[in-house]
């Protein structure tokens, strides 16, 4: 299994306009692109991938999304389609347990610690950061990795401290600071070579 956890610092926690993903939805465009790059290949879906998104924007944070590649149906890789699926999930009443919204898409009230506690039982947490070890040196030794990455803001200091308590390793995909979805593409590329 491969997992990705994207922290959406401003991503809103109520239904939003699909016409303004990058603005009033709190950079939901980044989240949609990350989901697309994590899940989709040409004419198919990576069935061995799960994507988790922590939504920390107003008005009702925190909320978490879980997207399970092996269960997903009726999802297309474009931002508008994925945005619509997230919007539908955000219309549900949430509590601590995962609630199914559409096939393969779940939502719950969870914060970063809740998520990492749950996910570290089945994944080895890998923090993606520019100054980490070169992914090419470690990719083939990563078993059941969960890659944690930030949005345009990165990870706030306290969230980074939390991630570092769970992370087995800090990994870099480039000497450049890249966009989150670009990092996901590189991670898949390097792991697919193994
Ligand atoms: N201004 C933000 C900062 O300083 O953290 C930039 C965040 S970057 C657009 C989004 C996320 O992608 C980062 O939080 C990090 O997890 C990941 N990232 C970006 N470049 C990376 C690299 N070269 N190696 C590993 N992860 C990277």
């Amino acid at each position: 299994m491969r997992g990705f956890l994207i922290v959406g610092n401003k991503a809103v926690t109520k239904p939003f306009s699909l016409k303004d993903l990058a603005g009033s939805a709190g950079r939901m465009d980044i989240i949609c692109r990350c989901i697309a790059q994590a899940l989709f290949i040409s004419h198919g879906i990576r069935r061995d991938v799960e994507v988790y998104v922590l939504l920390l924007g107003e008005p009702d944070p925190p909320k978490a999304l879980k997207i399970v590649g092996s269960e997903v149906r009726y999802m297309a890789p474009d931002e508008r389609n994925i945005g619509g699926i997230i919007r539908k999930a955000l219309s549900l009443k949430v509590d601590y347990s995962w609630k199914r919204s559409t096939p393969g898409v779940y939502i719950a009230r969870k914060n970063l610690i809740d998520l990492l506690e749950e996910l570290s039982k089945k994944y080895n947490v890998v923090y993606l950061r520019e100054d980490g070890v070169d992914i090419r040196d470690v990719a083939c030794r990563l078993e059941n990795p969960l890659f944690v990455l930030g949005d345009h803001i990165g990870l706030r200091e306290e969230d980074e401290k939390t991630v570092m308590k769970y992370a087995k390793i800090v990994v870099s995909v480039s000497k450049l600071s890249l966009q989150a979805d670009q990092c996901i593409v590189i991670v898949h590329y390097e792991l697919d070579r193994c």
Side-chain angles (χ1 to χ4, degrees):
M1 288 295 291
R2 283 178 209 173
F4 294 90
L5 166 57
I6 303 114
V7 177
N9 291 286
K10 301 280 180 197
V12 294
T13 40
K14 65 164 192 199
F16 49 85
S17 165
L18 294 177
K19 291 187 181 145
D20 195 21
L21 292 176
S24 54
R27 296 311 309 265
M28 198 64 80
D29 60 320
I30 297 175
I31 305 300
C32 296
R33 283 197 293 277
C34 285
I35 293 170
Q37 298 303 349
L39 282 179
F40 285 90
I41 51 175
S42 179
H43 300 296
I45 285 186
R46 290 179 184 267
R47 299 285 169 198
D48 62 344
V49 167
E50 290 182 343
V51 186
Y52 295 83
V53 183
L54 181 61
L55 305 167
L56 295 175
E58 294 301 326
D60 190 23
K63 288 183 182 175
L65 296 168
K66 170 167 74 162
I67 301 138
V68 181
S70 60
E71 298 175 21
V72 164
R73 303 278 178 279
Y74 322 119
M75 189 185 281
D78 60 284
E79 286 172 36
R80 196 179 163 82
N81 179 278
I82 295 173
I85 287 168
I86 296 174
R87 183 172 68 171
K88 180 151 194 238
L90 285 171
S91 68
L92 299 182
K93 197 164 176 284
V94 290
D95 58 32
Y96 186 76
S97 351
W98 292 110
K99 184 182 280 182
R100 184 177 171 282
S101 169
T102 46
V105 179
Y106 301 80
I107 188 161
R109 167 91 60 209
K110 289 184 197 280
N111 63 25
L112 185 59
I113 295 177
D114 298 329
L115 275 175
L116 289 169
E117 268 301 314
E118 176 177 329
L119 297 177
S120 59
K121 294 190 174 89
K122 64 180 205 175
Y123 286 107
N124 291 306
V125 177
V126 177
Y127 181 30
L128 282 178
R129 200 175 59 191
E130 291 83 335
D131 62 351
V133 299
D134 188 337
I135 191 163
R136 199 157 277 197
D137 293 337
V138 293
C140 301
R141 280 183 271 132
L142 297 174
E143 282 182 15
N144 294 323
L146 174 85
F147 297 94
V148 181
L149 58 166
D151 58 3
H152 60 302
I153 295 171
L155 251 57
R156 287 176 308 184
E157 207 178 316
E158 73 214 65
D159 289 340
E160 182 161 81
K161 277 189 192 147
T162 301
V163 171
M164 290 304 288
K165 283 188 190 144
Y166 291 87
K168 300 252 189 281
I169 186 168
V170 181
V171 167
S172 167
V173 297
S174 167
K175 292 195 172 82
L176 303 177
S177 184
L178 301 176
Q179 294 182 17
D181 61 313
Q182 296 172 331
C183 296
I184 292 173
V185 172
I186 294 174
V187 165
H188 275 319
Y189 174 73
E190 292 294 334
L191 269 64
D192 288 347
R193 287 164 59 100
C194 295

